[in-house]
Amino acid sequence: MERRSFIIAFGGLCGLLWLFAAHGPSFAGEFPKPGKDDRCPVCGMFVYKYPKWAAGFVLQSGARFFHCCPKCLLHNLHNVPKYQPGQTRENVRGIWVTEYYTTKQTDAHEVLFVVGTTLVGPMGLDLIPVRGETAAQTLKEDYQGEFILTLDEVTAEMLDKVRKGKLKRN
Ligand SMILES: [Zn+2]
C-alpha cells in the first residue's frame, strides 16, 4: 500500500472508531447483568427478580444502573440529576431494555415502546419494548395499546401519565 493511501485509510479508520465510540451502539452484545444487590434507583426494588422487565444504562464514567422495568428506566432518564447526583442525561452512554417477546437485553434505540397497553410489569402499567414495527403493531392490537414511540419520542409528560396509570383504556 502506498504511504499516502495508508494514511488516508488509517485516518478513515480512526474516524470510524471515533464515530462508533461517540455515537454507535455502546454494548456490542455485551450487556451489563444485574447482580443480587442491584436495586432500581427509582423504586428501590431488587432488579434481578424481574429478568423479563429489567432495563438499565451505563454512564460515561462506566457506572452502571439497573432498573426493574422500562417505566423506571425512562423516568430516571428524564431525571438523571435527581437519581445520579452530579450527572446529566448527556453523560448516559448506553441504554438497554429487555425486549418483550424474546426477553433478551436489547439496545433501547433498537426497540419501539408500545404505550397504554393492559400489560402489567413489576410497577404496574408500563411502556412495552418491542423490536420491529410489525411486532409492535401486533402487541398494540393484542393488548389494546394506545400508540407506539421510539426512545427519543417518550416525553416526561407522557411518562408521568403512564406512571399514574392514566393512559389505560376503560
Ligand atoms: Zn423500579
Side-chain angles (χ1 to χ4, degrees):
M1 196 187 282
E2 262 179 56
R3 189 181 156 80
R4 201 178 134 166
S5 45
F6 173 78
I7 288 169
I8 290 169
F10 184 72
L13 182 68
C14 287
L16 270 178
L17 282 174
W18 177 83
L19 263 179
F20 188 77
H23 307 287
S26 311
F27 299 112
E30 292 287 321
F31 293 95
K33 305 282 178 212
K36 294 244 162 180
D37 296 328
D38 288 308
R39 285 169 181 264
C40 177
V42 176
C43 70
M45 295 205 295
F46 286 109
V47 175
Y48 78 91
K49 291 183 177 175
Y50 310 99
K52 290 181 179 171
W53 294 92
F57 61 72
V58 181
L59 293 175
Q60 259 152 15
S61 65
R64 309 180 312 171
F65 293 90
F66 298 94
H67 301 76
C68 67
C69 59
K71 185 165 62 172
C72 281
L73 165 80
L74 293 162
H75 177 71
N76 191 161
L77 283 172
H78 283 96
N79 299 277
V80 172
K82 178 178 172 187
Y83 295 103
Q84 287 80 30
Q87 302 286 345
T88 64
R89 170 79 189 249
E90 286 68 44
N91 298 340
V92 175
R93 200 186 66 193
I95 309 165
W96 61 271
V97 292
T98 303
E99 203 269 344
Y100 181 78
Y101 288 112
T102 60
T103 66
K104 283 199 170 123
Q105 287 177 284
T106 308
D107 193 304
H109 292 97
E110 292 173 10
V111 298
L112 294 164
F113 291 90
V114 186
V115 185
T117 71
T118 53
L119 287 168
V120 176
M123 288 292 284
L125 295 169
D126 214 314
L127 297 83
I128 313 299
V130 180
R131 187 193 279 275
E133 184 71 37
T134 311
Q137 283 295 346
T138 302
L139 186 128
K140 180 172 168 261
E141 280 161 32
D142 288 352
Y143 297 97
Q144 294 101 52
E146 300 282 343
F147 39 89
I148 297 169
L149 301 170
T150 64
L151 176 66
D152 296 329
E153 287 169 345
V154 177
T155 63
E157 205 180 12
M158 185 184 305
L159 213 47
D160 205 42
K161 282 187 186 164
V162 176
R163 291 182 86 223
K164 289 172 182 161
K166 287 184 184 162
L167 271 176
K168 191 184 173 187
R169 255 183 208 164
N170 307 323

